[in-house]
Amino acid sequence: MPPHRPVRLVPGAGGRGVSLFADAEAAAASLARLDELAGFPVGDWIRESLADNADPDRALVNLERWVRVTSSPSLHLQQMIGMPRLGALLLTILGASQPVADALIQNPEFASLALEPGEMAKIPSKERIVAEGRRLLQAATSFSHSLDRLRYLKQRYTLPLVLNDLSGSWSQETVWSVLSDLADALIALAWKMAWDDLAARRGLPSECPVLVVAFGKLAGRELNYSSDVDLVYVVPDGMDEALERDCARFCESLGRVLSERMGRGSLYRVDLRLRPYGGAGPIVRSMRSYQAYYRLYAEPWEIQALLRSRPVVGPSDLAESWETMRQEQSFRARLSDITLEHLLAMRQRIEQGAVDDDLKRAAGGIRDVEFYVQVLQMLHGHAVPALRDCNTLAALRTLDSENLVEHTVCKSLIEGYTFLRKLEHRLQLVGDQQTHEVPAKPMARRSLARTMDFSDWPELEKALMHHRRTIHTLYKSTFHLEEDARIDRTKVIRALGSCGQVAAQWFDMLPESDAFYSGLAENEGSLHRVQRILFAAPKLVTNFRSSLALTEMLMSGEIEEEVVPSGRIDRLPPDAFPEAVAEAHLSAVGTVCARWVLGASQDLGRDLTEIYDALMRHILGRFESPIDLIALGSYGSGTTSSRSDVDILMLVASKEGHPQAEAHGQEILALIDLLHRLGSPIKADLRLRPEGGKGLLVRTYEGFRAYDAHGMEMWERFALGQSRLVKGDPMALELVHDAAYTTPLTPERLRELTKMKKRIENERVPAPFAKRHVKLGAGGLNDIEWLVHLHEMRYPSATQAGSTSDMPTRIRKLGQVQLLNSIEVDVLLEALRHLLAVRNYLDLQGYD
């Protein structure tokens, strides 16, 4: 289930009142001092901004510490209040991460980064960081001053990075890559600085001959906030012994430059244990000795580790030799069974030694995903060069695109890996500790949940357990672990072939999963229905996995017999819990989609439209609102797909009742948003209302007529032609049809519409898909809609425009009034049926 916060229908109702601060007395004193520093009351704004903070007490203490060291406390507080979103972000950091808060207090000028939107949002490149680092080092007055400048540089780029992470402005992948680019840049700067210092003292060549190679997360550009950097050092073959000893001294010096703590902390903890023979081996080796070691002596796990290695800085010829060695050794033509068993056994030993709360090493953790991906890379990388990427998610996407792993499996692993890595980051932000364990203390868990955008710990724990179960299930099923103990499970997964992993992801999550596997093994009909869903509509697995009853209906065949799934929503009481409404809607949608895939229903668009109508009637009934609800777009025409937004227009007859109707409109949208975050596929779109996103949510009849008379553009009239009444007074629909059809379609207006259509196609359809886009491409669904609707706009009386929104009926009417001949009618009807089926299959396959 996706993460969500509870929707607040009452503004300002989100604070925690008297429990906001653990130490209320100390907080009151601090707020009073901040009022005095500001010269005006700031306490109310601070309390409101801290309502959802991970640690309000910590944030308040750090805010006061920071304000006191700024040049103008009053000005900075005014800036925060004047830019409330950015000010709240600054408070988020002050409560979420003590090391970052300390850096801000140590460098109060950094606040300009947080309070400057354009500067904060920039994604820095490695080249930009290196260039700034060189300027800082040129101005340094000593070696120790240079070290301080490097640590300052890390602080300077970490602050906007954390801000963009916590605000959600950057994706998790962007955060990881920027952290890695920052590390690459700092290592390169430290490499140059350490060599220049040693060369000056010992009369060495000006060019450093040492290649620095990163392993693990830095190699994959997936670094954590508090990762070690796994490094090895390489020198050219045939080097003079004296110079090689100096290179060893340089490597030791570089390690100290990176890891020694100073006033601004350290840069990175350096781990050299992945070099040949680990801690017993020499700190630096020649390229030839690495090649011989990996060819003759390396253990399987070392070859697997080599897969994720990448030169960071050093001679380009050595870097090329390293990459050649990596590809030759890690992506051999065949991965032996003995090697695979060795890797699996080692992974099992690591897992057995981990505690359950370990996000990295325990079952279903980060290492399961990385191990899964790396083994498949070693199996297929020789034949598929694109798989040789060091990045975990890039490799997963290649496994998907090359059809080596089911799309839904890759999607689940990407989502789970991203979630776990984000959670790991939030743990490490608090104290710059390299921890992977979920805290045990309730207060720490609550703070962690808030930094993850969950309302409380139970909600976060539920999402965490879901991802871990999914990951571990896929891991076990891929490598056939414990299959002897579950013979029916093994039989079913093998019978399902390429769909077997997705089936395991589905049924392993259900209670009494062994009974389901037995039923599938014994009942050919059940197995066939499951296989059909997995093959034709893998996106539906989420619906079935979320509903035991729905899975049981599929297994038994009852799902093909239920004719009116919308009745599940109609039977809900008006005050049903939102969770129950979302579950009923998700189940009903899953049922009609499955019925269509299994051939028990011929019109998926009609069935989905009936379900959405039932849901919208239920939502309106909850508020006992006089709102008239008009369906537009594909929802209006009854061609709703499993991914369609619900395009709606809300009207109200009474001018006096408009304020209440507008409030109801806001509550309706809030409830729709909540239902979506609870798992329901509903999303509302009101952009077709008068004045679009700037307009009122609900319009009075009078206001709609006024807009029709003075402000409505031709494209809006066109959009209103595909409309029908979901609930309310038929008079509302008459108003909409008057706006759609009473303005004559002159040649000039026709040119205006067709020009807009061309612009939409050019802007929304990439050139390679101009003839393949099912909706907007040449000969697509949009062309059918425009052909029919332009005829209706030109001849509204003859075509009885607005009498129905059903597209097949409208096409037949054009034939009845001889605007189309019978062959053209048949061709359009068949094209409509075919294109809708293609669109539905694409949606159910999970394609964007």
Side-chain angles (χ1 to χ4, degrees), residues 692-737:
K694 299 177 182 178
L696 296 167
L697 294 178
V698 183
R699 279 294 178 115
T700 63
Y701 290 2
E702 181 181 341
F704 186 85
R705 288 193 189 98
Y707 185 73
D708 175 17
H710 303 293
M712 190 173 291
E713 296 185 32
M714 203 62 199
W715 69 266
E716 293 178 282
R717 300 183 189 280
F718 181 90
L720 292 176
Q722 200 153 267
S723 56
R724 61 182 180 81
L725 185 68
V726 176
K727 185 176 182 181
D729 191 333
M731 179 63 185
L733 187 59
E734 289 182 28
L735 285 175
V736 172
H737 285 163

Side-chain angles (χ1 to χ4, degrees), residues 136 140 210 352 401 430 524 568 691 709 838:
L136 289 172
V210 179
Q352 288 171 349
S401 64
V430 175
E524 188 174 339
R568 302 179 195 177
E691 298 173 348
V838 171

